[in-house]
Amino acid sequence: MIEINNLNKRFASAHVFENYNKQFQGKRVCLQAANGRGKTTLLMMLAGLEKPQSGQVLYNNQALKSPQNIVSIASDRIALPDFLTARQVIELSCKALKKDMPEQLITGFNFKEHLNTRFSALSSGNQKKCQLITAFLKQAPFLLLDEPSAALDQTSIKFLLTLLDDYLDDKPNGQIIITSHEPEVFIQHGFECTSL
Amino acid sequence: MINSFASYFSFLSFRYLAYTTTLKSMLSQLKSFSLLFALVLGPAFLGMVLLLFLGLGKIVDSHAAPGYGAKLAVVYLLLESVMLWAMAPAIKNSKNRVFQRSLYKSFWRVCADCKLLLLSNAWLIASLLIAIDLSLKQWLQVPHFMLFMLLQWLCGVFVLYRPGALFYSLLLSSILVLLPVSLTSLQYYLSFIAIFGCSILLPPVRISHKLKVHSLALFWLSYFIQHSWSLIWRGSVLLACLLALLQLIAVRNDFSDLVLALAFSVCVLLTSSLQFDCLAVFKKYRLFFQSNNQDKPFYISQFLPSLIFFAMAFIVVISMLGTNLIYIPIGAVWCVLQQYLAQKKPAQFALVWFFITIGIVLLA
């Protein structure tokens, strides 16, 4: 479970979070808020990729120095190397994480025919698939997905939902947190909605 | 008809505005070099213009040594391509290219491209000034100069529309001038035209897509294969400097120590400034590598390209000018220092280079 205590984050003079406290209780959580309220920023801080000015994040009651070791994230804010092909991006992640090429994920997302396309030339839906593949590849206990269904076709959304259904089976202390402006489909698959 | 003219002129004014705006924004990015320009290039500006015309004079009058004139022409075309490559986004208004396609006739777009290309091509304008000054009799004596101007124009067109063909053209032309063959000036330039023409037909090479990117070294290799111009322009400027310095040594051998020190400092400047490019790549993809638990290796790896480039450039300097052994350790330390400045204190990058150069020149 992730718990946030007295979090403060500001960009220049704009306070995005001021003494923010939150406990994500459920195993599957869908975070909701209007645009620009800081959902993505919060996910980035939970993943350890952005630093708050102050505050503490606890993962299963533990404060971690490098949370990225146990957190996997897919977000548009993380720029993937757009001069590489999708295959090269995935290969690079596989090598870094010491994993095999995720053939099952690639087939499930119908991504095989786009593997040799340069990332910058992929459609937004296919870029999203590439982000999701690299996030699922890590198999970290905590999975954070920023607008995972945005731009995805229906078949890929169905595949994503089956992945989310099974994700925590072998991770008893794990948790999935997503953000979505269309949460209905996730609610049907056991996600609890919570406001920011 | 009048409406059509009015639309065309409003399109031209839009393109000119976009051109000047992009150029201003590009110049503002060079602020870390502004002090260097003010200190070094400012006083030397007139000298550089004279050097440009002097070189063109050698190309025009190359009957006695056609091989040398052809080599000089290739260096000119290379430097011109590098300059135009940097200006291409402003000339084409690349940012709004799709917008232009959606609104205007393609003929207008090409016309505007050509006008801005001519306006940006100082090298071609300099050649045109010389051409205007020639009499008809002189023209008949130097027909190759007409071909050289055509090549200058083609370079610009290739930069805008066929960058792959430009790469082949310059590569094959360089090979031709290095071959031990005896050709007249006209034969050289006709061969260049043929090479430029055939280069359009050659398929583009896409090596980087076939690479298996399994490591950070291959990540950087792939990046520089696809962004090779940042290496090519540095290499071209270094080569041009070395050729000019070689000429100086040929005339004044007593200056050889001073020339070597200068060549060495130019080598450090050009190679260590690659760190600015690497830093931009690091900042852009940092989060991706951090999310893959590779933040530290990625941070360290960003310093390798400019160090490797320095080592390679230094070997070229040694092979062309010879070296004083003391420059090897000094060069390595100086390059690392410049990298550090590029990373942490970019405003001081040029200033420190300038003062160290003064120091080395005085010691030489």
Side-chain angles (χ1 to χ4, degrees):
Chain A
M1 178 204 302
I2 292 182
E3 189 181 336
I4 302 163
N5 296 322
N6 296 317
L7 191 81
N8 283 288
K9 176 73 179 174
R10 63 172 188 274
F11 293 106
S13 59
H15 283 265
V16 185
F17 295 101
E18 208 165 359
N19 291 324
Y20 178 75
N21 294 289
K22 183 92 184 168
Q23 226 177 22
F24 295 105
Q25 297 281 5
K27 297 289 269 181
R28 292 182 172 81
V29 180
C30 178
L31 200 55
Q32 287 196 291
N35 292 335
R37 293 292 301 276
K39 297 187 296 293
T40 304
T41 304
L42 183 65
L43 290 192
M44 294 295 281
M45 287 191 289
L46 296 184
L49 301 180
E50 278 186 27
K51 296 269 177 256
Q53 268 75 34
S54 63
Q56 192 181 39
V57 180
L58 300 176
Y59 306 83
N60 293 330
N61 299 317
Q62 275 188 312
L64 298 173
K65 212 173 177 184
S66 304
Q68 60 267 31
N69 293 333
I70 58 156
V71 179
S72 184
I73 182 170
S75 167
D76 288 343
R77 199 174 288 182
I78 301 170
L80 268 57
D82 51 3
F83 58 91
L84 297 179
T85 62
R87 182 191 298 280
Q88 289 171 328
V89 172
I90 297 169
E91 277 174 354
L92 197 57
S93 296
C94 287
K95 195 70 187 171
L97 300 167
K98 297 183 176 70
K99 303 273 184 187
D100 294 327
M101 196 70 172
E103 299 294 347
Q104 203 186 340
L105 291 171
I106 291 166
T107 312
F109 277 119
N110 264 327
F111 196 61
K112 212 157 206 159
E113 61 185 292
H114 305 290
L115 280 175
N116 292 325
T117 306
R118 196 190 292 189
F119 185 81
S120 60
L122 289 172
S123 67
S124 54
N126 281 325
Q127 289 189 349
K128 179 65 81 181
K129 287 179 189 178
C130 196
Q131 288 174 7
L132 290 169
I133 289 169
T134 52
F136 276 102
L137 177 71
K138 198 169 178 179
Q139 286 294 312
F142 293 94
L143 177 68
L144 312 178
L145 305 177
D146 189 12
E147 296 284 350
S149 60
L152 284 190
D153 54 62
Q154 285 305 312
T155 321
S156 301
I157 292 176
K158 274 184 191 162
F159 180 66
L160 170 68
L161 290 167
T162 59
L163 288 175
L164 291 174
D165 286 342
D166 302 338
Y167 191 80
L168 296 174
D169 288 354
D170 56 347
K171 301 171 190 74
N173 295 319
Q175 195 171 28
I176 303 172
I177 301 175
I178 66 166
T179 66
S180 178
H181 289 291
E182 290 165 338
E184 294 77 18
V185 68
F186 295 104
I187 293 168
Q188 287 167 14
H189 282 258
F191 277 81
E192 294 169 16
C193 277
T194 179
S195 57
L196 193 66
Chain B
M1 187 74 174
I2 292 169
N3 272 349
S4 183
F5 267 117
S7 304
Y8 177 63
F9 283 115
S10 69
F11 173 63
L12 271 189
S13 57
F14 154 70
R15 285 293 302 271
Y16 184 71
L17 183 66
Y19 173 74
T20 49
T21 310
T22 313
L23 278 188
K24 275 179 198 166
S25 127
M26 286 163 82
L27 285 174
S28 71
Q29 288 171 16
L30 292 174
K31 63 183 174 198
S32 17
F33 290 98
S34 56
L35 195 66
L36 176 72
F37 290 141
L39 286 171
V40 184
L41 299 184
F45 183 72
L46 191 64
M48 286 164 70
V49 173
L50 286 174
L51 204 63
L52 171 72
F53 280 101
L54 192 72
L56 283 173
K58 292 268 182 199
I59 290 170
V60 174
D61 187 18
S62 58
H63 288 296
Y68 177 71
K71 275 181 196 157
L72 204 56
V74 171
V75 172
Y76 260 64
L77 293 175
L78 192 62
L79 291 176
E80 180 190 316
S81 306
V82 165
M83 192 190 79
L84 290 175
W85 184 267
M87 294 174 80
I91 297 169
K92 285 177 85 173
N93 182 221
S94 306
K95 258 187 186 171
N96 302 317
R97 205 65 181 168
V98 180
F99 166 68
Q100 290 179 44
R101 282 206 180 112
S102 70
L103 284 183
Y104 301 105
K105 295 173 189 171
S106 60
F107 175 66
W108 291 7
R109 212 168 51 240
V110 175
C111 274
D113 286 352
C114 290
K115 282 176 185 170
L116 292 172
L117 179 62
L118 184 60
L119 187 69
S120 314
N121 199 338
W123 305 76
L124 179 58
I125 292 170
S127 297
L128 285 170
L129 288 175
I130 289 181
I132 290 166
D133 198 43
L134 293 177
S135 66
L136 184 64
K137 194 182 165 192
Q138 285 171 315
W139 261 118
L140 293 172
Q141 286 170 346
V142 289
H144 64 272
F145 191 59
M146 177 83 95
L147 297 178
F148 175 66
M149 286 196 296
L150 176 63
L151 288 168
Q152 283 186 300
W153 177 251
L154 282 178
C155 269
V157 174
F158 279 17
V159 164
L160 294 191
Y161 305 116
R162 294 287 178 109
L166 180 68
F167 174 75
Y168 285 127
S169 305
L170 293 174
L171 181 71
L172 295 174
S173 300
S174 306
I175 292 171
L176 176 67
V177 293
L178 292 173
L179 286 177
V181 288
S182 173
L183 298 174
T184 64
S185 293
L186 190 60
Q187 284 170 334
Y188 264 119
Y189 288 89
L190 283 172
S191 309
F192 292 153
I193 296 281
I195 287 172
F196 271 64
C198 293
S199 296
I200 300 172
L201 306 172
L202 295 173
V205 183
R206 299 177 75 198
I207 317 163
S208 63
H209 286 59
K210 289 172 186 161
L211 271 181
K212 282 207 174 286
V213 185
H214 279 160
S215 64
L216 285 166
L218 289 168
F219 168 85
W220 285 107
L221 178 66
S222 188
Y223 175 80
F224 280 109
I225 287 174
Q226 291 193 49
H227 300 82
S228 49
W229 273 101
S230 61
L231 298 178
I232 289 173
W233 81 256
R234 285 178 171 87
S236 312
V237 173
L238 181 66
L239 191 67
C241 283
L242 292 178
L243 288 174
L245 293 173
L246 264 179
Q247 281 301 112
L248 191 62
I249 290 178
V251 180
R252 293 289 303 268
N253 195 33
D254 48 327
F255 278 1
S256 61
D257 286 343
L258 187 72
V259 164
L260 187 60
L262 269 178
F264 173 66
S265 69
V266 169
C267 175
V268 169
L269 175 71
L270 289 170
T271 54
S272 62
S273 65
L274 191 68
Q275 186 59 34
F276 287 111
D277 299 47
C278 296
L279 179 62
V281 176
F282 170 75
K283 282 181 176 169
K284 191 171 178 188
Y285 303 121
R286 181 181 61 85
L287 293 177
F288 169 70
F289 284 97
Q290 199 177 344
S291 68
N292 282 339
N293 308 333
Q294 287 229 300
D295 39 343
K296 272 185 192 159
F298 186 49
Y299 178 81
I300 295 164
S301 75
Q302 64 168 318
F303 297 102
L304 296 178
S306 56
L307 277 176
I308 293 170
F309 189 39
F310 169 75
M312 289 163 72
F314 196 60
I315 290 168
V316 173
V317 173
I318 291 169
S319 61
M320 286 179 79
L321 300 177
T323 188
N324 186 337
L325 285 178
I326 191 72
Y327 284 136
I328 296 174
I330 292 177
V333 175
W334 190 7
C335 189
V336 171
L337 172 69
Q338 292 295 139
Q339 281 186 315
Y340 169 80
L341 292 169
Q343 186 86 9
K344 301 283 181 191
K345 294 176 178 175
Q348 266 106 59
F349 179 86
L351 190 69
V352 171
W353 174 83
F354 181 71
F355 283 115
I356 294 179
T357 299
I358 296 282
I360 284 183
V361 166
L362 287 175
L363 284 174

